[in-house]
Amino acid sequence: MGWSSWNSFSNTVDSQVIVDQAKAMVSTGMAKAGYQYVNIDEGWWLGERDADGHFVIDAKAWPALAAGDHAGDMANIVRFIHGLGLKAGIYTDAGKDGCSMYPDLGPPFQHTGSEGHYEQDFLQFARWGFDYVKVDWCGGDKEKLDPAVQYAEIARAIAKAEAATGRRLYFSLCEWGNNSPWTWAPNVGGAPAAIWRTSGDIVAPIVPHREHSGRLASFPGVLSNFDQGIHPEAQHTGFYNDPDMMVVGMPGLTDAQNRVHMSLWAISAAPLLVGADLTTLSDATRATLTHIEVLAVDQDPLGLQGVKVASSGSGLEVWSKALAPPGERAVLLLNRSGDAASITARWADLGLDESSSATVRDLWAGKDLGSFKTSYSVTVGSNDAVLVVVRGREGKLTTYSASAGGGMREGEELSFAHVASRVPMARVRIAYTNPGKTPRYAALRVNGSIATRVAFPPTGSGNAAGAIWIEALLDREGANNTLVFSAMGDSGPGIESISVE
Ligand code: GLA
């Protein structure tokens, strides 16, 4: 959760912008609600390096902010951000050039990328004190580089910088979903991407003095980025599809549309990076961005993405996101049609026990609606949505034990055959051990289809198993699904069992 400079300031970002936004993150109550990152996007540096290849920073744009600071040192702004109890993000490109080479924002600038300087640049970011780095793909795209190769090299450079400085750099990968990053981003190099973009930009950024024409946020744009971001099989705690920085509160959206936008990002457990100017938020926008119960849906510890569990074909949809407490689901009733209509969420579709009643709470209304048998129906306005939490009884999970426990060595496979499921996109609980200090990885092939990569965080040195939840596309009719895990890297996790919805 955080803020990024791009949507509202494009390449005019400078120290004053960041100081004002960071202060506003605190004074608006956003920091208290959980927003942490203040991310400096493109425009902070315009491509100049010194003879040793170090960034040359504009001392006027990034002046001293406190006694002892040197003008032109990005550590100044990082200290300022950290001083407010917040975290700082920075931006570069995987190619030689960055997106600044294109003239759509003003004069073009060449060589704003990190290619040829990966180790030097990421070490510099860590030394400045940054906590987060977004790595774009404009230059890589122009040079027709292979993103999986470049980003793996970048991940190794990040891991090296982390080891040298003891500072963690949260890695945000931005190649717009062009090369299906959900199938490889969670396993690039030594510091895998934590979030990866799944689509193009949600909005053309606001360029001061070239006012908004053609640069307005739009509701269809929000829906389109949401739809392109749905890859539930690749997402679980720590690894997220990123449908882009939000446009909540920006010109072009109504308050009601802002709430739907926030609901869509929350149901998909998307990163919540606000793009609006925090110094001019309306009360309604602030309330939308800081709604504690909606934020809790987004930030639920399982990190699972919502799945469309029912759809009328005419734009009436039910999306369900499993939350950590057993039997709890966040449910979005979304009406994409031109008319108000009744939408029904059935307990069976949510993977809940349909013979038990469940309670329903409307999150935006802040209202408990009571207890319902088998389903809940509500009238939803055109292009509107209702977000509820349903608390019922968890449906049954069937457990399949691995015949061989212990760790898996590189390339080793572990197969679960004749697996049944009740729903097409089934939740799967994987019990495993990883006594190492870093995540281990396994590729997962479901019914022979392309592998997705699953990360298994450390479970500590004891023998106690940990568990992660993933979602897998299974055949609901038969009991004949096959899930094959193969270890990636030197050693894989010790998978003990899977339990399937
Ligand atoms: C690309 C990214 C955006 C932003 C701009 C900066 O378009 O997708 O999020 O970082 O570059 O130029």
Side-chain angles (χ1 to χ4, degrees):
M1 292 170 67
W3 176 86
S4 165
S5 59
W6 184 249
N7 287 350
S8 287
F9 294 94
S10 64
N11 59 1
T12 63
V13 61
D14 63 13
S15 178
Q16 195 58 53
V17 165
I18 298 299
V19 164
D20 292 346
Q21 297 296 318
K23 283 185 180 164
M25 189 178 274
V26 176
S27 65
T28 53
M30 289 183 54
K32 199 157 165 244
Y35 293 90
Q36 272 191 305
Y37 288 94
V38 177
N39 291 347
I40 305 170
D41 206 283
E42 165 124 65
W44 64 273
W45 168 66
L46 296 173
E48 198 184 338
R49 293 181 187 267
D50 68 15
D52 299 322
H54 295 301
F55 299 113
V56 174
I57 308 296
D58 180 349
K60 278 207 208 82
W62 302 98
L65 295 171
D69 281 1
H70 299 286
D73 181 353
M74 295 303 284
N76 303 340
I77 193 69
V78 174
R79 275 193 294 271
F80 180 84
I81 294 169
H82 285 170
L84 294 174
L86 303 171
K87 292 185 172 174
I90 191 75
Y91 166 96
T92 188
D93 195 283
K96 290 192 184 68
D97 290 312
C99 304
S100 297
M101 68 182 149
Y102 298 118
D104 57 331
L105 298 175
F109 292 93
Q110 309 299 318
H111 312 312
T112 58
S114 285
E115 193 188 350
H117 299 270
Y118 287 165
E119 289 196 4
Q120 183 176 23
D121 288 1
F122 291 97
L123 182 60
Q124 179 67 82
F125 296 148
R127 287 211 171 119
W128 278 332
F130 283 101
D131 308 283
Y132 177 114
V133 61
K134 169 175 168 183
V135 187
D136 216 334
W137 189 242
C138 280
D141 195 43
K142 180 184 162 201
E143 295 170 55
K144 302 203 173 0
L145 301 176
D146 179 341
V149 171
Q150 296 310 122
Y151 283 114
E153 207 181 303
I154 287 165
R156 282 190 289 274
I158 290 176
K160 250 182 142 170
E162 289 179 334
T165 59
R167 178 160 286 282
R168 164 109 216 276
L169 274 174
Y170 191 97
F171 179 14
S172 153
L173 187 156
C174 178
E175 63 73 84
W176 320 299
N178 289 355
N179 301 276
S180 309
W182 44 92
T183 64
W184 48 266
N187 193 45
V188 287
I195 63 177
W196 52 86
R197 281 276 296 275
T198 47
S199 53
D201 296 0
I202 195 167
V203 71
I206 291 176
V207 185
H209 315 301
R210 292 193 184 189
E211 293 310 337
H212 309 313
S213 71
R215 296 187 177 271
L216 291 184
S218 79
F219 193 62
V222 168
L223 284 170
S224 162
N225 272 44
F226 166 73
D227 289 334
Q228 294 175 73
I230 300 298
H231 302 284
E233 70 284 2
Q235 178 168 319
H236 62 274
T237 312
F239 300 90
Y240 301 96
N241 296 292
D242 174 10
D244 200 4
M245 305 163 292
M246 298 192 290
V247 287
V248 170
M250 290 185 63
L253 295 185
T254 65
D255 289 343
Q257 290 172 334
N258 283 329
R259 278 192 295 276
V260 179
H261 179 351
M262 192 74 187
S263 304
L264 292 168
W265 264 233
I267 202 79
S268 47
L272 299 179
L273 292 167
V274 179
D277 179 346
L278 302 184
T279 64
T280 58
L281 294 182
S282 69
D283 288 348
T285 298
R286 194 164 51 212
T288 298
L289 290 172
T290 59
H291 193 290
I292 293 300
E293 289 178 272
V294 176
L295 294 177
V297 168
D298 181 81
Q299 297 284 309
D300 177 82
L302 294 188
L304 294 178
Q305 205 168 39
V307 171
K308 186 160 58 175
V309 295
S311 148
S312 69
S314 55
L316 308 180
E317 300 176 350
V318 180
W319 290 77
S320 168
K321 176 185 197 295
L323 303 176
E328 280 197 24
R329 304 284 187 274
V331 179
L332 186 73
L333 303 115
L334 174 64
N335 180 358
R336 301 184 193 236
S337 82
D339 301 299
S342 173
I343 305 183
T344 299
R346 291 183 184 79
W347 298 173
D349 289 340
L350 309 181
L352 297 176
D353 175 8
E354 52 196 312
S355 61
S356 305
S357 11
T359 63
V360 177
R361 178 170 172 79
D362 182 322
L363 298 190
W364 290 112
K367 251 197 198 151
D368 289 325
L369 303 176
S371 181
F372 298 81
K373 286 183 177 158
T374 67
S375 68
Y376 169 71
S377 300
V378 63
T379 299
V380 184
S382 160
N383 287 310
D384 205 350
V386 170
L387 181 62
V388 298
V389 167
V390 177
R391 295 186 174 89
R393 179 191 268 206
E394 192 59 67
K396 202 169 142 288
L397 297 176
T398 309
T399 297
Y400 304 82
S401 294
S403 37
M408 300 159 78
R409 280 188 300 277
E410 175 146 24
E412 242 174 44
E413 289 196 344
L414 178 62
S415 178
F416 295 90
H418 307 296
V419 173
S421 78
R422 281 181 286 115
V423 289
M425 185 61 82
R427 287 175 306 131
V428 179
R429 180 183 189 272
I430 309 171
Y432 74 98
T433 51
N434 169 8
K437 289 206 165 58
T438 52
R440 292 181 178 175
Y441 298 93
L444 170 60
R445 245 176 313 134
V446 178
N447 295 334
S449 79
I450 299 176
T452 59
R453 284 98 195 265
V454 183
F456 296 83
T459 49
S461 52
N463 285 332
I468 55 164
W469 288 86
I470 60 155
E471 292 177 312
L473 191 58
L474 301 180
D475 175 5
R476 145 194 239 175
E477 303 303 330
N480 217 1
N481 297 285
T482 307
L483 283 76
V484 180
F485 293 91
S486 13
M488 309 186 68
D490 300 343
S491 51
I495 296 177
E496 301 194 341
S497 65
I498 61 171
S499 303
V500 182
E501 180 175 18

